[in-house]
């Protein structure tokens, strides 16, 4: 079912009038651009959920493309990173991780597969629960840590508050600002501006985007998660693009300041350092991965264990996995509708790619909210 | 995952706060919150940590979206994330 009347009805609670005023303003702005197409990218799974859930794409002018970029941390966790977790589980090490990670396919199976094969994998809601598990036991507990900077902050804070000696972290944390640079520089990139996620910016502050804006001459608008926040953000972005204004605009001042949360930033960078690494399906991202600093090597699963990856890599990915277009989708070059497996062979029950596993993955979101997110393309 | 969920602080013991999320109480850690937190304050919870103390004048606007989300059906992704954050269900299904 396409998101039709019911999702628009739901908008009433957020002031239908204002929504329509903003939408009308967007149409005007686009008209003034005289038929030029405008493409903007957001980098947040929660933005995509809100856009899909409230049927916002149906309100957008025809020439405005709102693309979801690499805003799903689970989806950009690279195959070898999943493999490290799977290998550790197969070696008999107890793993704790966030629920979304469980079914993400690695080169040879997922953590869920490792669990079916006897591996001990616990799903936790917070790293604090993984620490509790370690405290109550004498065996090694590895927390397989995924997520962007907002989540990495909680991993860092945990390591700074004296976790037990049998606790360690396998970090697959990622840092968003560098990937925006890479996406903006991709040959053929149509992205003319970015919508940045309010809560990540709550931590980093909007100032973190200033160097990006200076280098790429593209506007960045920080927006919240309500329908009105997102529409206002898009209005701001289209305005900035039309006027050729490359700057950072903070349209979520009720949560985001220029400096952000200094306490959290300090905690983050005390424990982590950025290093280059692959983001699944996208590219090598310089400074895009967060690894533990040497001072915390004793909590680093990578220095604590011999992780036997070679044993895993005997088997090649199946052909279905090779047909997955997740990478192109995350880079904003394709949409789920371009994938022939979408909602056919690939469903949340039987995901082929990570984008169908995570509740923040574009394929999963489009599948749950009806597959056709744009009423203009709905049957 | 970046949808921080607002909750009301009931009690603070050292670095742990007891926070009420629509009737569900949870222990939330205060190691990275940006300002001192006291009972009666609202915080934004992200995976068991307060990432922000919500200034009083912004509480109403911040809570409103979540009120609506919590009334949504079980399969709704945003609602599911809010429920996981407030501990109504565990986040175990992938
Ligand atoms: S629908 Fe499935 S196979 Fe296709 S791109 Fe999305 S995750 Fe990959």
């Amino acid at each position: 079912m396409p998101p039709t009347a019911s999702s628009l009805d739901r908008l009433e609670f957020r002031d239908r009038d204002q929504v329509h005023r903003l939408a009308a303003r967007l149409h005007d702005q686009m008209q003034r651009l005289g038929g030029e197409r405008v493409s903007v990218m957001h980098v947040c799974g929660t933005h995509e959920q809100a856009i899909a859930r409230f049927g916002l794409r149906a309100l957008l002018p025809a020439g405005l493309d709102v693309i979801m970029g690499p805003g799903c941390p689970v989806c950009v966790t690279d195959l070898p990173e999943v493999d490290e977790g799977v290998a550790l589980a197969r070696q008999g090490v107890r793993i704790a991780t966030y629920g979304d990670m469980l079914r993400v396919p690695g080169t040879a199976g997922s953590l869920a597969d490792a669990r079916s094969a006897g591996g001990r994998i616990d799903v936790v809601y917070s790293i604090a629960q993984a620490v509790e598990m370690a405290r109550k036991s004498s065996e090694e507990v590895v927390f397989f840590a995924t997520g962007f900077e907002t989540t990495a902050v909680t991993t860092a804070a945990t390591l700074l508050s004296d976790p037990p000696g049998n606790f360690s972290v396998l970090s697959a944390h990622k840092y968003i600002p560098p990937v925006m640079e890479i996406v903006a520089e991709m040959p053929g990139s149509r992205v003319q501006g970015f919508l940045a996620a309010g809560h990540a910016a709550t931590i980093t502050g909007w100032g973190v985007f200033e160097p990006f804006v200076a280098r790429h001459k593209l506007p960045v608008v920080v927006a919240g998660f309500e329908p009105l926040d997102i529409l206002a953000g898009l209005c701001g972005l289209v305005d900035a693009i039309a006027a050729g204004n490359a700057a950072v605009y903070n349209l979520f001042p009720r949560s985001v300041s220029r400096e952000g949360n200094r306490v959290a930033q300090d905690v983050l960078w005390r424990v982590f350092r950025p290093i280059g690494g692959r983001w699944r399906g996208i590219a090598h991202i310089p400074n895009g991965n967060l690894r533990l600093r040497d001072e915390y090597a004793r909590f680093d699963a990578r220095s604590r264990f011999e992780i036997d990856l070679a044993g895993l890599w005997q088997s090649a990915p199946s052909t279905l996995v090779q047909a997955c277009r997740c990478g192109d989708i995350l880079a904003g070059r394709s949409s789920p509708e371009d994938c022939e497996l979408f909602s056919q062979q690939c469903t949340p029950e039987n995901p082929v790619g990570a984008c169908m596993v995570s509740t923040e993955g574009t394929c999963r979101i489009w599948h749950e909210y009806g597959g056709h997110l744009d009423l203009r393309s709905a049957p | 995952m970046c949808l921080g969920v607002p909750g009301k602080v009931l009690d603070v013991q050292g670095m742990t706060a007891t926070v009420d999320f629509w009737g569900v109480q949870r222990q939330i850690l205060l190691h990275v919150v940006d300002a001192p937190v006291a009972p009666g304050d609202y915080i934004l919870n992200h995976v068991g940590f307060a990432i922000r103390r919500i200034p009083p004048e912004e509480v109403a606007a911040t809570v409103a979206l979540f009120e609506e989300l919590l009334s949504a059906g079980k399969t709704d992704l945003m609602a599911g994330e809010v429920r996981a954050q407030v501990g109504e269900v565990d986040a175990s299904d992938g």
Side-chain angles (χ1 to χ4, degrees), chain A residues 10 53 369, chain B residues 69 72-81 83:
Chain A
R10 266 189 243 138
R53 177 172 204 281
Y369 289 106
Chain B
L69 282 177
K74 286 273 179 237
T75 59
D76 187 275
L77 296 181
M78 287 183 92
E81 252 161 67
R83 291 203 189 93

Side-chain angles (χ1 to χ4, degrees), chain A residues 126-182:
Chain A
S126 167
I127 187 174
Q129 290 171 309
V131 170
E132 241 357 84
M133 281 167 48
R135 266 193 227 290
K136 286 191 188 132
S137 147
S138 53
E139 60 185 347
E140 293 283 336
V141 174
V142 172
F143 182 65
F144 187 14
T146 57
F148 294 127
E149 45 270 31
T150 320
T151 316
V153 159
T154 69
T155 303
T158 300
L159 293 187
L160 288 176
S161 41
D162 202 21
N166 58 337
F167 178 79
S168 58
V169 166
L170 180 64
S171 170
H173 283 305
K174 305 261 183 291
Y175 186 50
I176 284 269
V179 79
M180 290 169 56
E181 312 249 356
I182 298 299

